[in-house]
Amino acid sequence: MLALDLLQLPASALGIRGAICVVGRSEKSRALGFSSWIVGNLLWVSWGVMNGNVYVSAMFGLYFVTALVGLRNCRHT
């Protein structure tokens, strides 16, 4: 269980940090938010795979892709 907590804690923290940063006005703040989501979402995908939870893996896999697009769009404004 402890190994799973080592994934869930940073994944949750990065998700929260991403949400806070994405609402910022600066490009740097938004880029940090999307970057946080990218890493956090990969952690959640890993957690889902380790637990055999296809739904969590699929959902956070899609969130990962949208965060990549968000980061790209943020850098091209």
Side-chain angles (χ1 to χ4, degrees):
M1 184 99 150
L2 184 58
L4 296 179
D5 291 342
L6 293 175
L7 287 177
Q8 292 179 89
L9 177 63
S12 297
L14 287 165
I16 292 166
R17 183 172 101 172
I20 291 168
C21 292
V22 165
V23 299
R25 294 181 185 215
S26 74
E27 179 182 318
K28 185 176 179 180
S29 175
R30 290 189 305 273
L32 179 60
F34 286 117
S35 297
S36 296
W37 277 343
I38 288 167
V39 176
N41 291 337
L42 285 175
L43 292 175
W44 280 118
V45 169
S46 299
W47 184 91
V49 169
M50 288 176 62
N51 284 285
N53 192 323
V54 176
Y55 302 108
V56 167
S57 296
M59 180 173 64
F60 282 98
L62 178 62
Y63 291 166
F64 168 77
V65 172
T66 61
L68 285 175
V69 173
L71 180 61
R72 187 193 60 158
N73 288 342
C74 177
R75 295 181 187 266
H76 288 89
T77 57

